[in-house]
Amino acid sequence: MTINLTMAVVLAVLYSVGFYLLMQRSLMRILLGIVILGHGSNLLLQTAGGPPAGAAMIGTTDPAQMADPLPQAMALTAIVITFALTTFLLALAYRSWTLLGHDEVRDDLEDRRIQRLERRLSESEEDGAEELEKEATQ
């Protein structure tokens, strides 16, 4: 099975744009990134399924000419998951907009506190290592 170069480029663009939007701070951009990644995943699964073929039912076509039903089933599952995640993110963005007046994701204060604590600990470990080196050389 070979993949068409055009489909490979389209998949690369969809995944690139989707991941770029996913890294933004606006919930609407994150939502669009999830939707674009979902479309890219569906296209990847359908491309991996191969060319169109006969129905996957015994007795209707020759078994050698039947289509593989697994990529189709996985694409349907991906559609459902993308739809569920889209509705969840839409509700989250709406809630953020009504409470805060914007949909920007802010930094977590607890994360910043932990980062400062880790930075202080690493600095104190470096100071302790320098003191040990001085004592060893004396």
Side-chain angles (χ1 to χ4, degrees):
M1 174 177 67
T2 60
I3 187 168
N4 188 353
L5 180 63
T6 307
M7 293 304 277
V9 170
V10 168
L11 284 170
V13 168
L14 282 175
Y15 275 106
S16 300
V17 170
F19 282 121
Y20 174 76
L21 288 173
L22 201 60
M23 297 297 173
Q24 303 299 313
R25 294 182 80 59
S26 170
L27 280 176
M28 289 310 293
R29 288 184 181 178
I30 293 171
L31 174 73
L32 288 174
I34 292 289
V35 169
I36 291 172
L37 280 175
H39 289 308
S41 298
N42 292 335
L43 187 60
L44 176 68
L45 288 169
Q46 291 303 316
T47 303
M57 297 175 141
I58 296 177
T60 58
T61 58
D62 183 35
Q65 295 178 350
M66 287 185 187
D68 186 13
L70 184 63
Q72 297 172 9
M74 290 181 72
L76 286 174
T77 305
I79 290 169
V80 171
I81 291 171
T82 302
F83 180 71
L85 194 55
T86 301
T87 56
F88 174 72
L89 285 175
L90 274 173
L92 195 65
Y94 176 74
R95 179 80 173 159
S96 175
W97 184 265
T98 57
L99 290 178
L100 303 174
H102 58 82
D103 66 342
E104 185 176 329
V105 178
R106 295 183 293 179
D107 288 336
D108 189 18
L109 298 176
E110 186 68 19
D111 285 344
R112 286 188 181 180
R113 187 184 67 79
I114 291 171
Q115 286 176 350
R116 282 195 304 266
L117 179 64
E118 286 178 352
R119 197 174 313 127
R120 276 191 242 140
L121 286 174
S122 67
E123 288 172 359
S124 66
E125 287 176 0
E126 290 173 2
D127 293 339
E130 289 174 4
E131 289 176 9
L132 286 175
E133 287 177 12
K134 288 179 184 177
E135 290 176 5
T137 57
Q138 292 177 351

